[in-house]
Amino acid sequence: MKRTYGIAGNGRASTHLQAYFRLLKVPYKLWHRLSGLKPETALGGCSVVFVLLKDEAIVPFISANPFLKSKTLIHFSGSLDVAGASAMHPFMPLCESTLSPAEYRRLPFALDTGVSLKKLVPEFSNPVIRIKKGEKKLYHALCALGANLPVILWQKAMRDLNEKFGIPCGQIQAYFQASLDNFGKDPARALSGPISRRDARTVAADIKALGKDSYGEIYSAFAKIYENN
């Protein structure tokens, strides 16, 4: 019997899954809260349903829709263990724009130990990462730390360098890209500047220059962490 896929939710993760399904010519049905349909009306005929909602909404949605008990349920949360549903976390920060077929095929999925991607979604042949259930919260925290915190710092630095010093955003992005390229070439030696050379005087001057800006505390915390490593 051929599988029919359903997707609950219409956020960024849903947008990418829809794009991947279209590239593979896999038919699917979509439900979201603005669709004007009841979940069962849209997804009742699907044998596999992706519940791609905010973490706090996944369990309530499943509980509120008893028809889902007979379905194979999949969610994309990297930190949750949901009874009756399989985790399939994309190990890749997903941007607003969709990806190419090759990029989607290279995207790894983090699965629970013992879960088969081929059984969940036979059409996918993506790389698989195994995460034990008891370790998922730490796994996700590290993903968020590495993928999101640098972006917050880049956004802050770009805004102030552009607004206060008139540096074009393209040049600022190139500056950050050079740092990322250095990390790609040699992660262990990619750090540059006063923190890397343990130049306490310059670090202190940088923090003082930031004044009452709360990012001064972040700079100080990073410098102390590196110094103690």
Side-chain angles (χ1 to χ4, degrees):
M1 183 176 177
K2 188 173 181 180
R3 290 172 178 239
T4 54
Y5 292 98
I7 303 173
N10 202 28
R12 188 177 298 188
S14 174
T15 297
H16 281 280
L17 182 60
Q18 292 177 60
Y20 196 8
F21 275 165
R22 287 194 298 270
L23 288 168
L24 295 176
K25 301 188 186 308
V26 174
Y28 65 89
K29 295 180 180 179
L30 176 67
W31 173 89
H32 55 90
R33 58 188 180 84
L34 299 179
S35 64
L37 299 173
K38 293 182 178 180
E40 187 169 7
T41 302
L43 307 174
C46 302
S47 55
V48 181
V49 176
F50 286 83
V51 184
L52 303 187
L53 306 173
K54 293 181 180 179
D55 281 16
E56 66 266 23
I58 293 174
V59 172
F61 177 79
I62 294 172
S63 299
N65 292 281
F67 79 94
L68 292 173
K69 291 181 179 179
S70 63
K71 313 296 182 185
T72 296
L73 302 180
I74 303 170
H75 65 83
F76 274 10
S77 172
S79 63
L80 291 184
D81 289 320
V82 179
S86 296
M88 198 172 122
H89 181 246
F91 189 65
M92 184 75 67
L94 298 174
C95 59
E96 288 286 350
S97 57
T98 56
L99 308 178
S100 69
E103 288 172 325
Y104 278 121
R105 283 192 292 268
R106 289 196 299 266
L107 193 160
F109 285 105
L111 305 180
D112 293 333
T113 303
V115 175
S116 168
L117 179 62
K118 275 298 180 185
K119 288 183 178 179
L120 287 178
V121 191
E123 295 86 354
F124 288 1
S125 57
N126 296 63
V128 169
I129 298 168
R130 299 292 178 187
I131 306 295
K132 296 179 181 178
K133 286 191 174 182
E135 299 176 351
K136 291 170 83 171
K137 283 183 169 46
L138 176 58
Y139 154 78
H140 189 264
L142 293 171
C143 289
L145 181 72
N148 295 323
L149 270 62
V151 174
I152 294 172
L153 296 176
W154 286 341
Q155 289 172 337
K156 159 67 176 176
M158 172 175 280
R159 182 173 60 250
D160 286 6
L161 287 169
N162 176 255
E163 293 178 359
K164 296 180 180 181
F165 298 97
I167 302 175
C169 289
Q171 291 182 6
I172 300 169
Q173 287 178 299
Y175 182 86
F176 297 154
Q177 184 63 52
S179 181
L180 188 58
D181 291 344
N182 290 342
F183 184 80
K185 294 172 185 174
D186 190 350
R189 295 178 176 82
L191 193 65
S192 63
I195 293 180
S196 69
R197 60 179 182 265
R198 301 183 189 277
D199 183 348
R201 180 176 294 181
T202 301
V203 169
D206 287 347
I207 295 169
K208 183 178 180 180
L210 287 166
K212 295 182 180 180
D213 192 316
S214 59
Y215 281 82
E217 297 177 13
I218 296 173
Y219 192 145
S220 178
F222 273 49
K224 289 177 181 177
I225 290 171
Y226 186 78
E227 183 180 351
N228 294 328
N229 281 343

